[in-house]
Amino acid sequence: MPDRPRSIWLRPERAGRGPVPEHDRARISAAAVTLADADGLGAVSMRRIASVLGTGPASLYRYVDSRDELLELMADAVAGELDLSRPPSGDWRADLVALAHQLRDAYRRHPWLLDLVPGHVGIGPRAVDQLEYALAALAGVDVAGPVKLEAVAMLNGIVALAVRTELSVGDSTASWSAAQAEFLGAVVSAGGHPHLAAALADAPPVPEDAILDRILPRMLAGLLEA
């Protein structure tokens, strides 16, 4: 079928003819998300999803063409968890920071999102809604559209990086921080690093949300207000 759309989002869930479908994309993606939440992205396969749904693997290919399309459904289902009902406040920094916190919560609930390979998972309708929401917050910023898109991409990247770091350090965060502080304290006490000593002397305690609440707005401002 040469005219068949490549994007799953441009194709109907079922053809006009044939038996009534046993499932739908929402049920399939929900089952896949549940599997990934429990056992990681590697646990998601057509066979396992079919087992959960009580059907044969071949039947799932009536709804998706490939595993990559299944991952698109999963990512978009998670995007639908974000609350985008609050209208822009007029303070784009506050709005984007609030969105960043929602994204971080979604990554924490579904850490397998960090394992999705860029370029293999396309954007879906709910993710488009999320993008539109971020751009609405930036509507009053006098920069070109591509710059706004870059800012939104940076926001997503910083949130993903922050969560990846949190998850890799895990419960050892306090111990790791204490070890680093102990080492750096010994380094600056020994002399030979005056600029590092000055920087550390002026550094306040770092709150848990420093990346999103303090660093992210500054980085976005550097891009949007340059």
Side-chain angles (χ1 to χ4, degrees), residues 9-221:
W9 306 109
L10 297 178
R11 302 196 302 264
E13 289 211 32
R14 59 167 299 196
R17 294 175 296 176
V20 176
E22 301 173 11
H23 309 292
D24 56 34
R25 290 174 183 168
R27 287 193 64 199
I28 293 170
S29 61
V33 167
T34 299
L35 281 173
D37 288 348
D39 299 320
L41 202 58
V44 177
S45 67
M46 294 298 195
R47 184 174 300 278
R48 287 200 62 181
I49 296 170
S51 177
V52 170
L53 296 176
T55 188
S59 68
L60 299 185
Y61 288 100
R62 299 174 187 170
Y63 308 91
V64 294
D65 284 355
S66 65
R67 187 171 184 270
D68 283 346
E69 286 193 349
L70 175 62
L71 298 180
E72 286 191 39
L73 293 181
M74 295 168 62
D76 204 61
V78 173
E81 297 177 5
L82 274 61
D83 180 6
L84 306 179
S85 62
R86 180 180 177 183
S89 67
D91 182 345
W92 66 263
R93 293 176 184 80
D95 291 340
L96 292 188
V97 167
L99 179 61
H101 278 277
Q102 286 204 65
L103 286 171
R104 183 176 66 176
D105 290 342
Y107 275 117
R108 285 174 168 176
R109 290 192 299 270
H110 311 288
W112 50 267
L113 285 169
L114 297 168
D115 297 327
L116 295 180
V117 179
H120 286 260
V121 179
I123 188 171
R126 289 168 172 170
V128 169
D129 291 342
Q130 176 188 320
L131 177 59
E132 177 69 13
Y133 183 85
L135 292 174
L138 294 172
V141 181
D142 187 19
V143 296
V147 177
K148 294 180 180 180
L149 292 173
E150 290 170 355
V152 177
M154 177 182 289
L155 181 151
N156 281 279
I158 291 173
V159 172
L161 178 61
V163 176
R164 189 183 299 277
T165 301
E166 292 172 4
L167 295 178
S168 64
V169 175
D171 295 335
S172 63
T173 301
S175 176
W176 178 85
S177 298
Q180 296 305 300
E182 180 183 32
F183 169 67
L184 291 176
V187 168
V188 299
S189 296
H193 299 82
H195 298 292
L196 177 59
L200 293 176
D202 295 336
V206 180
E208 179 184 1
D209 293 331
I211 292 180
L212 300 189
D213 293 341
R214 188 176 68 193
I215 299 174
L216 175 62
R218 291 178 179 178
M219 296 183 69
L220 293 178

